[in-house]
Amino acid sequence: MGGVERRGLPSPFQRSHLTQGPHCVLGNSSLAVRRWLALFKGSGRSCSGDRSQRRGEAGRGGEDRWQERSARALGPRGRPGPRTPASRGRRAPGGGAWLLNQPARPPPAGGEAPTPRPPAALRTRAGAGGRPARSPADPPAMEHIRTPKVENVRLVDRISSKKAALGTLYLTATHVIFVENAPDTRKETWILHSQISTIEKQATTATGCPLLIRCKNFQLLQLIIPQERDCHDVYISLIRLARPVKYEELYCFSFNPKLDKEEREQGWMLIDLSEEYKRMGLPDDYWQLSDVNRDYRVCDSYPTELYVPKSATAHIIVGSSKFRSRRRFPALSYYYKDNHASICRSSQPLSGFSARCLEDEQMLQAIRKANPGSDFIYVVDTRPKLNAMANRAAGKGYENEDNYSNIKFQFIGIENIHVMRNSLQKMLEVCELKSPSMSDFLWGLENSGWLRHIKAIMDAGIFIAKAVSEEAASVLVHCSDGWDRTAQVCSVASLLLDPHYRTLKGFMVLIEKDWISFGHKFNHRYGNLDGDPKEISPIIDQFIECVWQLTEQFPCAFEFNERFLIHIQHHIYSCQFGNFLCNSQKERQELKIQERTYSLWAHLWKNRADYVNPLFRADRSQTQGILRLPTTPCNFMYKYVNLWDLTRFWSGMYNRFEKGLQPRQSVTDYLMAVKEETQQLEEELEALEERLEKIQKVQLNRTKVKSKQSEPSKHSGFSTSDNSTANTPQDYSGNMQSFPSRSPSQGDEDSALILTQDNLKSSDPDLSANSDQESGVEDLSCRSPSGGECVPSEDSGKDRDSDEAVFLTA
Amino acid sequence: MEFAELIRTPRVDNVVLHRPFYPAVEGTLCLTGHHLILSSRQDNTEELWLLHSNIDAIDKRFVGPLGTIIIKCKDFRIIQLDIPGMEECLNIASSIETSEWRLSYVNKEFAVCPSYPPIVIVPKSIDDEALRKVATFRHGGRFPVLSYYHKKNGMVIMRSGQPLTGTNGRRCKEDEKLINATLRAGKRGYIIDTRSLTVAQQARAKGGGFEQEAHYPQWRRIHKSIERYHILQESLIKLVEACNDQTHNMDRWLSKLEASNWLTHIKEILTTACLAAQCIDREGASILIHGTEGTDSTLQVTSLAQIILEPRSRTIRGFEALIEREWLQAGHPFQQRCAQSAYCNSKQKWESPVFLLFLDCVWQILRQFPCSFEFNENFLIMLFEHAYASQFGTFLGNNESERCKLKLQQKTMSLWSWVNRPSELRKFTSPLFEANNLVIWPSVAPQSLHLWEGIFLRWNRSSKYLDEAYEEMVNIIEYNKELQAKVNILRRQLAELETEDGMQESP
């Protein structure tokens, strides 16, 4: 609800839906929708009344071009309701509707200036702005849309396949949108094309042609399209739309959160790696910033700014780089200034069976010398030994301990990207099972090997963290190319060593440092552009899960919550922000990403209130106004990590769109709400004390000034929100055929009605939470089994009935 | 319950004081060196102070499960104190009795059913003679009795032992009449048999069986398969073994967890309980639940269904009452079931972690609805411990009859009297609790069911960081409450000052 919601007390569970899915920020248009919704709810106007008003405004503001487009994209104009994609478009930048809702938050400074590029999906039909007619060129994606709209499509509920929502499917340049027909809900499901992982057209049945869409954020959509031809058109269109061939087709190039140039630039400056190296205590007597990779002359997948040992001359570095896969020479990843031990990273040496390289040996020597506290360094090869040996035949391989002085060589068997890809695949198959037995599930989970891989990564991270802090030894980490397993392991180790990386900003820095700057191939791994499917692998997903496993074990050690991790995962695939584009820093620079797209970090930082872990312990004597003993966060977390505990399946991630499977009440959200209220109480307390003092003074002076009793009682506790816990029973009867249906003549309609209403009432907050801040959009993009009506009305009771019907016919 | 013992503990909560001509007062009973004090802890109600030396005579009375003491004083005053823990049954009873249900004392001497309490609730239209007949038709004499009354729609959960139909399809008119008496006109009910159809059919050979459709036309039978006895015990042994395996091999761990089948049992029990709750709340149909004896899986289902349906059973008092009613009074043979735990190899036939499975299921629901329970995980762990080994008499014996014979009420202390002391309660109260008056429907999908680490990994890892988190949670919430109180005081002050102000202004 944007600003409106902020003012009041949020109920603890209003936010809970946020955990359910990522929020895709759709730009101002969506903000406008949210605010409009908030306003709408507040004023209590009837839905239909507002609808027509809105349409009128849009019509006035519209122009020929818009009409033509909307007609093309959305069919007859008479039909749409307020929350159809069409109306989103009409409320787009600068339109009357937008201004209508302006009070919630003033427009950004440059809001009036024509925005460089509104979201493509909206641009196509967003003439609603009062600005003079311009005819923006069609975004490239438009030509791939064979059919922009299909009616009478059914969206099948994953949990009970008997439930299906009838609605209309829209294809836009950036999204697949499903709008339910149910007049009072008009629930929308938005899927970004870049999130689509696979599309499967299944055999046509009597009811229609089923289309299965699997998303990279683990959402699963099953649509049934009445006409085979339509289905084919949608299928062909999506296949193309989901696999863009040029970066320019990606959403981030059309996504526009209505920030001006300055704000965008500031956003990109939020995370500054040179600051981070300074924080580590660099440069110092042992390490220096090297410009050897200026203009990417030595290694095109490395950043230009790198820290290397002082004694490593350019000659050594270049020589070493020639002896390393893709010239990824050893460079600093993390520096532990207290004992001068460091974590360095590189790719595998091109040692083959016997080759050696003097400069490379000198390079490792230099790393050792940069740490006066230790007379050896560890070289950690994160691959299984067998893989590393196989590489020798191809002229690559691993360091021969005889050739390098004072190294301790260690294999840590983390499997390669192909194994990881298959593992995730298997695990997702388990998640997709329909009502699996406990054995099916546990067997499948084990069989996928996923948790074993997670543990291998943690093992490696712990080994390194231990070496650095306990043995004060520097560590050189590599795998094959040094951009997958190496990135995982270095970042896990850093996280275990340094509390800074467990803060919101620190975590962004960590990803920026070990993943983005060191050339993790985001484009290839996450399939942003159409490419080799064999390059795709959930490498950073695994890292994110490692962090989640740690947050489970150390609930107070992280400043961020689960939602933060989930949203980062979402945006790695969404291509809504430029951060994760391309395969290297160099490519991003060439594309001028920073000038043309927005930074996710700034977006997350702006909304940090949503991502804070309420249990995070830091010294809060300043922020809370009361003195508490500062608690020392466990600095060296690795000491206490219980690998035994890495057995939890992260349903919050992999089943995050199956709301029914998640805990119905979130402790995190509850505590966040409590803390927010606490803050308000603190403010009120202060204000009251002030007023009291004033009045007492006034009374003393016998002056009669009436002070207004203004503050309404704010707290009704959190109890109301508890209603959101209500849910509907699942299909507990299993496949039992004998479960009979109730005959209508039994005369218990009354009680049934009561039950119905009771439950309806109870589920309201959950549903209305749709229009909560950020989620107005987000919730639309995820299916909720209980229906996502934004304005519940008595009629919704029908929904309940149908729910019961499911049970009866089970 | 031995009240003299009880009073030796410094205080008892929720004692109800009855005096002639005065409304009953509920409060806390305290014993000091010289006084017996009853304080309602409400602002304006008087406190009762009674000098010990004033007491002339004390009558102890057991009206079935209800404990009452009548104190006769030297000044001729007579007061009556009802002591908590046991009155739950009657509370429900008295509210229901008028309509369709009545209390029956047919089992006063434990003669009709040795594993039932002296008082049970049965349909009003069925007399004690009929009950005696029905008892002969039900396993262990466990005739159908009321377990739960759903106030919202008047539907009920009943439980019993299996009908003794045998191979020749014996029937019992009184039995049919009894359970039909619980149905409203034209309505149907469900019989949930916690055994699979095959097992139930096999039971006929041993004289047991299930209700035939022909004889119970108004009832639909549903078979669910909940395992019993040694199968559960072996499951527990395997699980604990897996948890103690220190090799830390990820793969083996998951397959061991799977092989133990523990979570499968959890899923099965929870699913059945949800189904029962669904029948009551969504279908508006009454149900009868039984397995073979009606002392194990039956009780798991009836008690879990109440957790789902009845908000009060999610409070500490309510949960205590639930255990008292549905486990102790209902005759779950704790002595037999909990004689040994996971490490003993003697594998006796009767040992079975039935109660632990129930607690685990409650934990699963609590995990999904962390704000809907007044108690926390520690409360469940404490109950588990006391069920297996306890310095209190509560969980001793196999049923009420045995406990009576052992004179446990005279010889031992009640667990509840200790637990309900404020200092103990504090440990068991969840800071997150917000009364939730709704039915809560847990998810039974495998993704939603977890290993109860608080029990099974308790000794294998440090809980330091989880404890820290809990502490932090308490701090956050308490600080909030503190502030709220302060703000309220200031508001009141301010309001007073302002009205004063106004008063001065008006004349």
Side-chain angles (χ1 to χ4, degrees):
Chain A
M1 286 188 209
V4 176
E5 193 261 339
R6 285 271 154 211
R7 259 184 266 135
L9 271 184
S11 53
F13 299 107
Q14 261 186 3
R15 282 182 177 167
S16 62
H17 62 280
L18 274 170
T19 56
Q20 304 303 334
H23 57 235
C24 6
V25 175
L26 287 170
N28 269 335
S29 61
S30 64
L31 268 175
V33 174
R34 266 183 256 134
R35 272 173 209 152
W36 176 75
L37 279 173
L39 220 70
F40 163 64
K41 292 190 84 179
S43 65
R45 272 177 292 176
S46 84
C47 199
S48 55
D50 213 82
R51 201 174 290 179
S52 52
Q53 186 190 342
R54 189 123 334 270
R55 204 156 43 222
E57 269 165 34
R60 277 199 300 283
E63 50 194 304
D64 293 338
R65 183 154 188 88
W66 168 73
Q67 290 183 356
E68 177 200 318
R69 280 282 166 68
S70 76
R72 180 149 61 95
L74 293 143
R77 272 187 68 210
R79 207 199 56 74
R83 303 180 72 222
T84 61
S87 55
R88 275 169 189 273
R90 289 184 210 130
R91 281 190 303 279
W98 165 242
L99 290 172
L100 194 75
N101 299 295
Q102 221 43 356
R105 203 183 295 164
E112 292 307 309
T115 14
R117 39 189 73 238
L122 306 167
R123 195 154 34 117
T124 56
R125 49 203 138 78
R131 271 176 262 120
R134 269 187 302 116
S135 46
D138 265 343
M142 287 306 283
E143 70 205 46
H144 306 304
I145 300 174
R146 290 190 167 204
T147 173
K149 175 188 172 190
V150 185
E151 285 184 326
N152 294 322
V153 174
R154 270 171 309 147
L155 179 67
V156 179
D157 193 287
R158 270 264 299 133
I159 293 169
S160 66
S161 52
K162 278 146 201 131
K163 257 197 292 189
L166 198 66
T168 306
L169 186 73
Y170 298 92
L171 297 190
T172 74
T174 54
H175 288 83
V176 183
I177 306 160
F178 179 81
V179 184
E180 283 182 20
N181 281 353
D184 47 337
T185 60
R186 307 208 64 85
K187 187 164 103 68
E188 295 174 15
T189 306
W190 288 56
I191 307 282
L192 259 173
H193 294 327
S194 48
Q195 286 288 3
I196 296 175
S197 159
T198 63
I199 312 148
E200 208 179 295
K201 211 175 106 194
Q202 295 165 325
T204 312
T205 63
T207 48
C209 193
L211 195 68
L212 194 66
I213 302 175
R214 285 193 184 83
C215 297
K216 295 167 182 172
N217 59 4
F218 313 115
Q219 189 168 12
L220 186 67
L221 239 70
Q222 198 184 352
L223 300 165
I224 298 176
I225 299 172
Q227 295 296 320
E228 208 277 333
R229 212 195 51 212
D230 286 337
C231 183
H232 186 72
D233 280 348
V234 170
Y235 175 71
I236 296 292
S237 310
L238 283 183
I239 286 225
R240 178 59 189 82
L241 290 168
R243 287 172 203 161
V245 292
K246 284 189 309 220
Y247 282 118
E248 280 73 11
E249 291 177 43
L250 292 174
Y251 187 33
C252 57
F253 288 100
S254 51
F255 169 67
N256 174 16
K258 269 240 157 188
L259 297 175
D260 60 21
K261 185 161 168 278
E262 200 179 321
E263 281 175 293
R264 190 184 62 216
E265 279 165 7
Q266 276 175 351
W268 281 110
M269 287 189 309
L270 180 73
I271 299 303
D272 182 356
L273 283 187
S274 51
E275 276 302 311
E276 169 59 13
Y277 287 114
K278 258 183 223 155
R279 190 194 66 89
M280 286 184 204
L282 296 172
D284 68 355
D285 294 346
Y286 307 101
W287 293 88
Q288 64 182 10
L289 187 65
S290 165
D291 67 346
V292 69
N293 201 34
R294 197 175 53 216
D295 302 327
Y296 307 100
R297 281 183 303 194
V298 176
C299 173
D300 60 3
S301 61
Y302 264 12
T304 47
E305 293 195 352
L306 283 163
Y307 275 86
V308 293
K310 258 195 172 154
S311 59
T313 60
H315 173 73
I316 291 178
I317 295 172
V318 172
S320 166
S321 79
K322 286 178 181 157
F323 190 63
R324 295 270 165 185
S325 261
R326 301 185 193 265
R327 315 191 97 205
R328 292 169 67 91
F329 56 89
L332 183 89
S333 163
Y334 178 71
Y335 184 58
Y336 186 55
K337 63 172 176 262
D338 290 13
N339 63 10
H340 304 293
S342 63
I343 302 175
C344 296
R345 56 185 291 175
S346 71
S347 60
Q348 62 186 340
L350 304 175
S351 53
F353 290 101
S354 59
R356 44 190 298 191
C357 166
L358 185 63
E359 289 87 352
D360 194 58
E361 288 158 26
Q362 287 171 334
M363 184 74 196
L364 267 62
Q365 190 92 316
I367 293 172
R368 181 175 62 79
K369 282 189 195 146
N371 177 9
S374 175
D375 52 9
F376 71 94
I377 65 166
Y378 278 109
V379 176
V380 173
D381 189 327
T382 55
R383 298 168 293 182
K385 189 171 182 186
L386 211 65
N387 300 18
M389 280 164 67
N391 262 303
R392 292 208 306 203
K396 300 165 188 170
Y398 53 92
E399 290 81 355
N400 183 342
E401 266 178 299
D402 299 337
N403 298 343
Y404 295 82
S405 54
N406 303 318
I407 67 164
K408 288 190 182 175
F409 190 83
Q410 179 80 33
F411 283 115
I412 291 180
I414 302 174
E415 299 289 349
N416 64 26
I417 57 168
H418 311 294
V419 175
M420 299 309 191
R421 178 177 58 243
N422 293 334
S423 173
L424 178 69
Q425 184 57 37
K426 280 186 191 162
M427 186 177 70
L428 293 180
E429 278 164 22
V430 176
C431 297
E432 269 183 42
L433 289 177
K434 267 195 180 149
S435 47
S437 74
M438 206 70 220
S439 294
D440 292 342
F441 178 72
L442 290 174
W443 251 112
L445 191 58
E446 155 150 4
N447 206 30
S448 75
W450 182 259
L451 289 170
R452 193 189 54 206
H453 300 316
I454 296 293
K455 182 168 174 281
I457 297 163
M458 291 296 304
D459 274 335
I462 290 172
F463 177 87
I464 293 164
K466 231 178 196 157
V468 166
S469 79
E470 281 177 18
E471 298 184 59
S474 293
V475 186
L476 171 66
V477 187
H478 69 73
C479 45
S480 297
D481 289 317
W483 51 39
D484 293 315
R485 286 169 272 205
T486 301
Q488 289 176 329
V489 168
C490 288
S491 47
V492 168
S494 307
L495 193 78
L496 292 169
L497 282 169
D498 195 333
H500 177 64
Y501 296 126
R502 296 170 217 149
T503 63
L504 274 162
K505 226 174 194 164
F507 191 70
M508 299 177 194
V509 166
L510 186 64
I511 291 184
E512 189 75 31
K513 169 173 77 78
D514 280 332
W515 296 81
I516 297 176
S517 85
F518 271 102
H520 176 63
K521 300 201 293 175
F522 282 95
N523 176 37
H524 284 165
R525 293 293 173 263
Y526 312 115
N528 296 342
L529 292 188
D530 193 24
D532 183 0
K534 289 225 151 48
E535 283 279 339
I536 293 175
S537 188
I539 301 303
I540 202 166
D541 300 65
Q542 288 183 318
F543 166 64
I544 290 173
E545 170 154 352
C546 285
V547 179
W548 176 79
Q549 298 274 3
L550 286 171
T551 61
E552 284 284 284
Q553 285 190 39
F554 302 93
C556 301
F558 291 84
E559 194 192 6
F560 48 85
N561 57 26
E562 183 186 23
R563 190 177 301 142
F564 184 63
L565 297 174
I566 289 177
H567 286 189
I568 289 177
Q569 194 271 356
H570 174 85
H571 285 299
I572 284 168
Y573 290 94
S574 77
C575 301
Q576 191 169 339
F577 298 91
N579 305 57
F580 307 114
L581 245 49
C582 306
N583 290 320
S584 67
Q585 202 78 292
K586 184 177 177 226
E587 285 183 37
R588 277 185 287 272
Q589 212 153 47
E590 284 164 2
L591 260 180
K592 299 196 185 351
I593 290 290
Q594 301 207 353
E595 290 157 46
R596 300 166 71 187
T597 72
Y598 294 85
S599 168
L600 171 66
W601 305 137
H603 170 69
L604 293 176
W605 185 248
K606 198 176 81 199
N607 297 297
R608 60 188 174 276
D610 288 335
Y611 302 120
V612 167
N613 168 19
L615 293 172
F616 179 60
R617 285 207 198 195
D619 181 12
R620 288 159 311 163
S621 55
Q622 278 111 42
T623 52
Q624 293 228 333
I626 52 157
L627 199 69
R628 291 192 195 198
L629 287 176
T631 48
T632 29
C634 38
N635 280 321
F636 297 130
M637 197 185 258
Y638 71 89
K639 282 186 189 164
Y640 311 101
V641 173
N642 195 342
L643 290 168
W644 191 225
D645 266 3
L646 300 176
T647 54
R648 288 176 220 193
F649 170 72
W650 191 7
S651 70
M653 175 64 99
Y654 304 108
N655 281 115
R656 79 174 102 135
F657 289 95
E658 259 81 62
K659 276 191 173 180
L661 301 183
Q662 311 305 328
R664 298 314 177 91
Q665 297 175 319
S666 153
V667 175
T668 303
D669 291 330
Y670 181 85
L671 292 176
M672 279 168 88
V674 170
K675 280 187 122 171
E676 197 167 326
E677 198 207 42
T678 300
Q679 210 181 336
Q680 287 172 353
L681 283 170
E682 277 171 343
E683 283 161 20
E684 195 189 342
L685 193 66
E686 210 174 302
L688 283 174
E689 272 165 355
E690 233 168 68
R691 250 168 60 193
L692 204 62
E693 210 175 307
K694 216 186 269 171
I695 287 187
Q696 278 162 343
K697 253 188 221 157
V698 166
Q699 283 191 332
L700 231 61
N701 297 344
R702 293 260 171 247
T703 14
K704 282 159 190 165
V705 181
K706 243 190 190 170
S707 66
K708 280 177 222 153
Q709 179 81 31
S710 60
E711 245 109 329
S713 171
K714 277 190 198 166
H715 3 244
S716 47
F718 310 101
S719 45
T720 50
S721 60
D722 235 6
N723 291 338
S724 66
T725 61
N727 46 17
T728 50
Q730 297 185 342
D731 190 354
Y732 300 115
S733 50
N735 298 319
M736 198 176 51
Q737 294 303 312
S738 65
F739 214 63
S741 56
R742 182 177 51 182
S743 80
S745 63
Q746 284 168 346
D748 64 337
E749 293 312 310
D750 280 356
S751 64
L753 196 69
I754 291 165
L755 294 182
T756 302
Q757 283 174 345
D758 221 41
N759 246 280
L760 238 190
K761 191 173 55 196
S762 57
S763 47
D764 280 354
D766 203 12
L767 302 176
S768 60
N770 273 346
S771 45
D772 188 19
Q773 188 207 21
E774 294 302 351
S775 61
V777 179
E778 165 197 310
D779 226 61
L780 305 172
S781 69
C782 59
R783 287 177 304 123
S784 93
S786 48
E789 56 259 71
C790 84
V791 187
S793 68
E794 259 95 330
D795 293 2
S796 324
K798 282 174 195 155
D799 190 45
R800 273 310 103 81
D801 283 342
S802 64
D803 200 59
E804 253 170 71
V806 170
F807 167 74
L808 289 167
T809 52
Chain B
M1 203 180 288
E2 173 53 64
F3 299 112
E5 291 273 356
L6 250 188
I7 291 165
R8 216 169 286 155
T9 70
R11 55 193 289 181
V12 189
D13 284 330
N14 284 25
V15 171
V16 180
L17 165 71
H18 299 277
R19 287 167 299 176
F21 311 117
Y22 286 95
V25 177
E26 189 183 329
T28 303
L29 186 67
C30 300
L31 204 74
T32 69
H34 300 284
H35 287 90
L36 182 156
I37 307 162
L38 189 109
S39 163
S40 70
R41 285 190 287 173
Q42 280 153 10
D43 293 341
N44 41 16
T45 322
E46 59 173 299
E47 286 179 346
L48 170 80
W49 287 66
L50 191 70
L51 261 177
H52 297 328
S53 51
N54 191 11
I55 297 173
D56 202 14
I58 296 179
D59 273 1
K60 286 173 278 187
R61 220 191 266 173
F62 305 100
V63 187
L66 174 73
T68 298
I69 47 174
I70 295 171
I71 301 174
K72 299 179 179 170
C73 301
K74 292 172 184 167
D75 58 4
F76 313 124
R77 176 159 56 155
I78 295 177
I79 59 170
Q80 181 187 330
L81 295 171
D82 292 348
I83 309 291
M86 305 293 200
E87 82 268 45
E88 200 56 31
C89 176
L90 269 190
N91 273 354
I92 284 203
S94 54
S95 64
I96 295 169
E97 208 180 5
T98 48
S99 55
E100 294 147 20
W101 301 86
R102 70 181 182 95
L103 294 181
S104 166
Y105 298 82
V106 68
N107 200 37
K108 205 160 46 190
E109 313 292 334
F110 304 107
V112 178
C113 172
S115 61
Y116 269 177
I119 304 179
V120 289
I121 305 171
V122 294
K124 200 165 194 177
S125 56
I126 307 297
D127 60 23
D128 282 359
E129 201 41 51
L131 291 178
R132 283 194 190 92
K133 279 194 186 134
V134 176
T136 61
F137 181 66
R138 290 277 173 178
H139 193 116
R142 293 174 70 90
F143 54 88
V145 296
L146 182 85
S147 157
Y148 171 65
Y149 181 86
H150 198 45
K151 287 199 196 83
K152 204 154 88 177
N153 59 6
M155 296 300 123
V156 297
I157 300 177
M158 286 184 301
R159 50 177 159 75
S160 68
Q162 64 177 347
L164 303 174
T165 57
T167 40
N168 50 7
R170 220 179 115 212
R171 64 188 284 194
C172 171
K173 283 265 159 40
E174 287 79 5
D175 188 71
E176 292 158 26
K177 197 177 153 210
L178 191 161
I179 72 164
N180 284 338
T182 65
L183 293 180
R184 299 209 175 135
K187 296 218 63 177
R188 285 189 160 177
Y190 293 98
I191 294 171
I192 296 180
D193 194 325
T194 60
R195 306 163 295 179
S196 69
L197 182 60
T198 339
V199 174
Q201 278 165 343
Q202 282 161 359
R204 288 194 297 204
K206 291 181 196 158
F210 52 87
E211 294 83 357
Q212 296 284 348
E213 285 89 348
H215 303 154
Y216 300 84
Q218 286 165 283
W219 294 81
R220 284 297 169 97
R221 216 176 57 242
I222 301 170
H223 287 276
K224 281 286 182 183
S225 172
I226 297 180
E227 294 292 352
R228 312 191 306 144
Y229 298 151
H230 64 278
I231 295 180
L232 299 181
Q233 186 70 10
E234 275 162 25
S235 173
L236 176 68
I237 290 170
K238 275 190 199 157
L239 176 68
V240 173
E241 226 173 68
C243 292
N244 286 339
D245 179 1
Q246 297 295 326
T247 59
H248 290 215
N249 184 324
M250 271 329 255
D251 271 2
R252 296 243 308 279
W253 157 246
L254 277 177
S255 59
K256 277 179 177 174
L257 180 63
E258 190 271 321
S260 78
N261 270 329
W262 183 263
L263 289 171
T264 304
H265 300 314
I266 296 283
K267 181 165 157 45
E268 203 53 57
I269 295 164
L270 264 180
T271 306
T272 311
C274 290
L275 184 69
Q278 207 171 1
C279 287
I280 295 274
D281 191 68
R282 290 308 178 98
E283 281 292 287
S286 288
I287 50 174
L288 169 67
I289 300 173
H290 68 73
T292 303
E293 293 89 351
T295 54
D296 296 286
S297 53
T298 305
L299 305 182
Q300 288 172 332
V301 176
T302 56
S303 48
L304 285 170
Q306 293 179 48
I307 296 275
I308 294 166
L309 292 168
E310 171 63 51
R312 187 168 148 71
S313 64
R314 295 173 226 141
T315 64
I316 290 182
R317 302 298 169 144
F319 193 71
E320 288 172 2
L322 182 78
I323 302 243
E324 187 69 39
R325 247 175 19 234
E326 289 303 305
W327 291 88
L328 295 165
Q329 303 282 327
H332 174 67
F334 277 97
Q335 185 93 28
Q336 287 180 346
R337 299 286 180 264
C338 302
Q340 302 290 347
S341 175
Y343 296 126
C344 180
N345 289 320
S346 81
K347 283 187 193 158
Q348 279 198 5
K349 203 175 144 194
W350 303 117
E351 288 146 11
S352 186
V354 176
F355 186 64
L356 175 58
L357 275 163
F358 158 72
L359 294 176
D360 197 333
C361 289
V362 176
W363 178 80
Q364 304 282 352
I365 306 177
L366 186 140
R367 219 196 124 266
Q368 294 183 28
F369 294 89
C371 306
S372 298
F373 287 81
E374 193 190 3
F375 51 85
N376 57 22
E377 180 181 2
N378 294 335
F379 190 61
L380 299 174
I381 296 173
M382 180 275 295
L383 286 174
F384 157 71
E385 287 174 338
H386 283 284
Y388 278 84
S390 176
Q391 59 271 47
F392 299 96
T394 302
F395 288 108
L396 288 185
N398 286 312
N399 49 49
E400 201 54 26
S401 155
E402 282 189 27
R403 280 187 281 272
C404 269
K405 276 183 207 129
L406 287 168
K407 292 197 180 4
L408 289 181
Q409 292 182 345
Q410 284 84 15
K411 292 177 181 169
T412 68
M413 292 241 296
S414 160
L415 174 65
W416 311 131
S417 67
W418 173 73
V419 168
N420 290 340
R421 290 156 63 172
S423 59
E424 296 301 315
L425 274 182
R426 213 170 297 135
K427 294 181 213 158
F428 303 129
T429 309
S430 163
L432 297 169
F433 179 58
E434 299 276 348
N436 173 2
N437 283 319
L438 299 165
V439 175
I440 52 176
W441 299 106
S443 162
V444 295
Q447 288 96 319
S448 314
L449 302 179
H450 294 247
L451 177 74
W452 189 6
E453 294 170 6
I455 287 271
F456 297 109
L457 297 178
R458 187 176 176 195
W459 310 107
N460 300 340
R461 58 136 198 233
S462 151
S463 63
K464 184 177 165 222
Y465 297 101
L466 300 180
D467 295 346
E468 210 176 84
Y470 186 82
E471 206 179 285
E472 186 64 18
M473 198 163 79
V474 173
N475 286 343
I476 290 170
I477 292 168
E478 273 181 0
Y479 178 58
N480 177 279
K481 284 185 182 154
E482 213 177 283
L483 273 182
Q484 221 158 70
K486 269 191 205 160
V487 166
N488 283 341
I489 291 172
L490 280 188
R491 274 192 194 143
R492 212 177 304 151
Q493 271 183 3
L494 208 61
E496 274 165 21
L497 280 175
E498 273 162 0
T499 42
E500 257 173 53
D501 231 24
M503 299 258 274
Q504 286 171 351
E505 201 176 16
S506 49

